[in-house]
Amino acid sequence: MSTITPVTSSLTTEERAAILDAVRDFAQNELAPHALEWDAQSFFPRDTLRSAGELGLGGIYARDDLGGSGLSRSDAAAIFEELAQGDPAIAAYISIHNMVVWMIDTYGSDAQRTEWLPLLTSMAGFGSYCLTEPGAGSDAAAIATSAIRVASDDGGDEYVLTGVKQFISGAGEASVYIVMARTGEPGARGITAFLVPADTTGLSFGAIEHKMGWNAQPTRQVILDEVRVPAANILGAEGQGFKIAMSALDGGRINIAACSLGGAQWALDRAVRYVHERFTFGEPLAERQAVVFALADMATELHAARALVRGAAAALDEKALDASMQCAMAKRFATDAGFTVANQALQLHGGYGYLHDYGIEKVVRDLRVHQILEGTNEIMRVIIGRQLLAD
């Protein structure tokens, strides 16, 4: 299996094509053949994810000094689209893991980067991101998990974290958790990000959630019962947590939008093949105008969504002033379009689309949650509208 060679400048067309070929090969040979089985058995494919790390997918846009691949957000979006054609659920988990890696790479101290990045970029260990709480979903600034500063036994300072995080992907499997907790005043400015190792006393997990989709990745509560971490485990600075969380979500929204593109493209390709093979009333479905129109609309929606995702990824690379708004636009449009296209592909398959063995219903279930996570699509509209009004 080829590996992604770390780069520090823009890729040539040939280099980019070679990387995407390697990722496509991985998705088709290591993900796609097992996707239905993993979904049916709710199996988390640790060994396959470690193979993804060997390929260079554990730190796609992290710096290359500690194992990252150093690619751009535009390259990453193309990579996640290819991965999702193999299995949207696993592609989405790799996206979340990469978000954690980027946060440590960007905001971590030299000691934090040295401790965690080699483990995470290789995917010998996994990362989880803990923001959402049972009573604070879309209103992330309202989190109640507390972090109280106390003196440690050795005379230094440490923080005692208490609270519950909800809907955490990779919970119970990760080596490190980035936990957002309240260290100060109510609202966004009182939130701090902490690195919490998996073996920390007081850290535990709820039961694995039974979900509509994304069954190949575990989702659980993360429970912090007077978890003590040294002050050196603060990521960034005290009070900077909300800013860190929001900056990470810009990239996460692009990634999850790209995962929607990949899953929907897979479903569209299967629908095109199916309507050529399926005959009704003496002629193939492909000869029926209603089917032709449906396929045309599906392809058009995906093409438009892909253009938005690419534009937003480029804006993030260029640090454009409206990058956050573009990321919100791309996430809203691409995840809506992706689910609609996959659902229409199921409809074109008729009763067969509802069968597990055809794979279409799995993609529909997997893509549905993309309209909710990384900020619901209603919140994306709030971000876009407020930015327009502010401008």
Side-chain angles (χ1 to χ4, degrees):
M1 182 171 60
S2 302
T3 59
I4 296 174
T5 303
V7 295
T8 55
S9 59
S10 299
L11 295 173
T12 66
T13 301
E14 293 76 14
E15 288 170 336
R16 194 171 195 270
I19 287 173
L20 293 181
D21 283 344
V23 174
R24 188 176 303 115
D25 180 73
F26 176 81
Q28 292 176 355
N29 293 294
E30 304 296 330
L31 300 183
H34 310 290
L36 291 178
E37 178 185 359
W38 293 341
D39 175 72
Q41 297 181 4
S42 296
F43 178 75
F44 184 60
R46 304 167 188 84
D47 292 341
T48 302
L49 287 168
R50 292 187 179 103
S51 295
E54 294 172 4
L55 181 60
L57 299 176
I60 296 171
Y61 39 88
R63 286 172 282 176
D64 64 351
D65 60 327
L66 291 170
S69 296
L71 300 180
S72 69
R73 296 302 185 122
S74 297
D75 298 325
I79 286 170
F80 284 116
E81 183 173 349
E82 292 292 346
L83 287 173
Q85 294 205 44
D87 188 343
I90 297 304
Y93 179 73
I94 295 174
S95 162
I96 294 166
H97 173 87
N98 270 269
M99 185 165 66
V100 170
V101 171
W102 178 83
M103 293 166 77
I104 296 173
D105 184 47
T106 303
Y107 295 101
S109 64
D110 289 342
Q112 290 169 344
R113 294 183 72 249
T114 300
E115 179 179 5
W116 292 112
L117 290 183
L119 180 72
L120 298 176
T121 56
S122 66
M123 296 194 86
F126 307 123
S128 281
Y129 173 68
C130 305
L131 175 63
T132 300
E133 297 182 2
S138 295
D139 186 7
I143 65 171
T145 296
S146 64
I148 300 172
R149 190 167 190 152
V150 298
S152 62
D153 293 339
D154 61 7
D157 288 325
E158 60 185 10
Y159 287 79
V160 180
L161 278 63
T162 302
V164 177
K165 296 297 183 177
Q166 185 75 28
F167 304 131
I168 306 305
S169 293
E173 296 286 347
S175 299
V176 64
Y177 298 83
I178 296 182
V179 177
M180 300 297 166
R182 186 163 301 286
T183 53
E185 63 187 86
R189 288 183 292 182
I191 297 172
T192 301
F194 293 88
L195 294 172
V196 180
D199 59 358
T200 305
T201 301
L203 182 67
S204 63
F205 309 97
I208 292 179
E209 304 284 3
H210 298 287
K211 308 186 296 292
M212 175 179 175
W214 272 25
N215 292 321
Q217 52 165 295
T219 303
R220 305 168 74 175
Q221 284 187 336
V222 172
I223 303 165
L224 303 112
D225 183 9
E226 296 188 356
V227 169
R228 289 176 173 260
V229 295
N233 283 32
I234 289 178
L235 186 64
E238 185 171 318
Q240 196 180 13
F242 190 78
K243 173 187 174 183
I244 292 173
M246 294 303 103
S247 65
L249 284 174
D250 280 343
R253 287 163 183 160
I254 293 297
N255 295 348
I256 213 66
C259 289
S260 286
L261 292 177
Q265 185 65 57
W266 181 90
L268 174 58
D269 292 343
R270 294 306 179 280
V272 169
R273 186 172 70 186
Y274 180 79
V275 300
H276 278 295
E277 298 170 349
R278 176 69 169 170
F279 281 71
T280 60
F281 303 101
E283 65 179 10
L285 285 177
E287 297 296 326
R288 299 188 174 278
Q289 190 176 67
V291 171
V292 173
F293 284 1
L295 291 172
D297 287 344
M298 293 159 73
T300 302
E301 290 293 303
L302 278 187
H303 194 77
R306 189 171 288 113
L308 268 176
V309 170
R310 289 176 177 175
L316 209 55
D317 284 328
E318 296 161 5
K319 296 180 172 56
L321 293 178
D322 66 344
S324 291
M325 183 174 73
Q326 289 199 50
C327 290
M329 287 178 170
K331 193 271 181 181
R332 201 289 297 168
F333 190 87
T335 58
D336 282 350
F339 176 76
T340 299
V341 167
N343 197 43
Q344 183 62 53
L346 188 154
Q347 187 73 17
L348 289 173
H349 277 75
Y352 292 105
Y354 209 64
L355 300 181
H356 185 73
D357 288 348
Y358 278 70
I360 301 292
E361 60 86 28
K362 174 193 179 300
V363 171
V364 172
R365 289 187 287 107
D366 284 344
L367 296 194
R368 180 60 182 87
V369 74
H370 294 189
Q371 296 169 291
I372 298 171
L373 55 83
E374 313 292 32
T376 66
N377 284 1
E378 289 74 20
I379 292 297
M380 296 305 99
R381 292 178 172 90
V382 171
I383 293 170
I384 297 162
R386 284 179 176 173
Q387 184 65 56
L388 288 172
L389 292 171
D391 290 344

